[in-house]
Amino acid sequence: MNQEDFKKWIKQVNERIQEQKEYLSELDGAIGDGDHGVNMARGFQEVVNRIETFENPDIGALLQQVAMTLIGKVGGASGPLYGTAFLKAAGVLKGVTECTQSDLILALEEGLKGIKMRGKAEVGDKTMIDVWEPLLSKWKENPETSLKELKAFTAECMEGTRHLEAKKGRAAYLGKRSIGTLDPGSVSSYILFDTLFSNLEDVAS
Ligand code: ADP
Ligand code: MG
């Protein structure tokens, strides 16, 4: 993937987030404060509004500006978390203009480390990490996994947050009452990865 492919990905993420804005906020309304869709829609729309003005010498530079915009515009817990993820990924892709699959996995793994460093959540806490961590472990261990399988697994991870009790973030205040609803951050992360895999399909074909 080159800078243009990354831009295309980010724009598609924005489209999906705008479409799912109400759904994401509804999920957050059930177990949080109901703003996740609004937060993500505001942040990604701003990224897309600015993306053509970003300096674009390499993928790292592009993602760094995406990160700074997300940090400034998304708000809530998820803004700094997604912002940190993009910032850490940008660090790995500094100077890179053509990103291979293994570069991408490494960058996303750094992104995950950033999310964990900032939010101190672990797998099973009913957060976006329940998508990021199992998915990236699977992809790293089996780099040959088909994109179709990766997409199905991402959906499974997201769905798996339904039966968990939240241990981090606002939903944790609900304790056992958080069981039965999908974690909204897992759904937005699903959108991020599902769109990424669709783009990789396009790049490969
Ligand atoms: P807020 O909770 O401040 O209203 P959002 O509603 O935008 O922020 O985001 C909520 C999402 O953020 C949750 O669904 C969860 O996936 C994620 N999240 C919250 N706290 C953490 C954390 N400590 N680590 C990882 N993800 C978290
Ligand atoms: Mg919220």
Side-chain angles (χ1 to χ4, degrees), residues 28 33 35-36 39 76-78 81 119 121 127-128 168-170 183-185:
D28 194 34
D33 57 354
D35 62 355
H36 188 58
N39 291 344
S78 56
L81 292 168
T127 70
M128 55 177 79
K168 280 279 184 302
R170 279 180 205 280
D183 171 58

Side-chain angles (χ1 to χ4, degrees), residues 24 28 31-37 39-40 74-79 81-82 115-116 118-122 125-129 168-171 182-189:
L24 290 169
D28 194 34
I31 58 171
D33 57 354
D35 62 355
H36 188 58
N39 291 344
M40 294 295 286
V74 175
S78 56
L81 292 168
Y82 279 121
I115 297 174
K116 292 182 80 170
R118 231 177 198 281
K120 311 267 185 294
E122 295 293 335
D125 288 347
K126 195 177 180 105
T127 70
M128 55 177 79
I129 288 171
K168 280 279 184 302
R170 279 180 205 280
L182 293 178
D183 171 58
S186 298
V187 179
S188 55
S189 288

Side-chain angles (χ1 to χ4, degrees), residues 144-174:
E144 311 287 285
T145 311
S146 72
L147 294 165
K148 192 172 163 216
E149 225 177 295
L150 288 170
K151 280 186 167 203
F153 187 69
T154 313
E156 246 174 67
C157 293
M158 168 186 75
E159 196 49 52
T161 65
R162 191 187 296 280
H163 71 270
L164 294 172
E165 176 180 341
K167 300 287 184 194
K168 280 279 184 302
R170 279 180 205 280
Y173 296 125
L174 289 184

Side-chain angles (χ1 to χ4, degrees), residues 105-120:
I105 295 175
L106 274 180
L108 291 167
E109 277 184 326
E110 274 314 299
L112 168 62
K113 280 187 206 159
I115 297 174
K116 292 182 80 170
M117 188 191 68
R118 231 177 198 281
K120 311 267 185 294

